[in-house]
Amino acid sequence: LERRYQELLGGQFEPLLNEYNRLLFMRNETMKLKKESVSFQCTIKSVNPDGALLVEGGIQDQFRFGEVEWIF
């Protein structure tokens, strides 16, 4: 934890983002998501440096926080 904190203080964001994406829930798995009233399946790929969820095969390629719901 201390090492990660020091990386952030030093402006080293990429190692933390890489680790986050390595551990990302359902990464490279097909999931059903919902945006507004539209449900769709897509493959979860990663989170970009701006925090957007990147997917493949969805109604769009990326979603900001709160734009979609997970459907289990």
Side-chain angles (χ1 to χ4, degrees), residues 44-61:
I44 306 300
K45 299 311 282 180
S46 63
V47 171
N48 72 14
D50 294 325
L53 179 66
L54 304 181
V55 303
E56 196 171 85
I59 58 174
Q60 56 191 75
D61 295 336

Side-chain angles (χ1 to χ4, degrees), residues 10-21:
Q12 298 175 17
F13 304 109
E14 191 172 337
L16 184 58
L17 181 61
N18 290 340
E19 182 73 2
Y20 184 90
N21 279 314

Side-chain angles (χ1 to χ4, degrees), residues 26 29-35 38-45 53-61 63 68-72:
M26 297 301 288
E29 299 290 332
T30 300
M31 280 295 302
K32 191 171 188 179
L33 301 179
K34 182 172 118 177
K35 180 176 179 177
V38 178
S39 298
F40 57 94
Q41 288 197 321
C42 61
T43 302
I44 306 300
K45 299 311 282 180
L53 179 66
L54 304 181
V55 303
E56 196 171 85
I59 58 174
Q60 56 191 75
D61 295 336
F63 299 96
V68 291
E69 298 175 45
W70 297 79
I71 300 176
F72 292 97

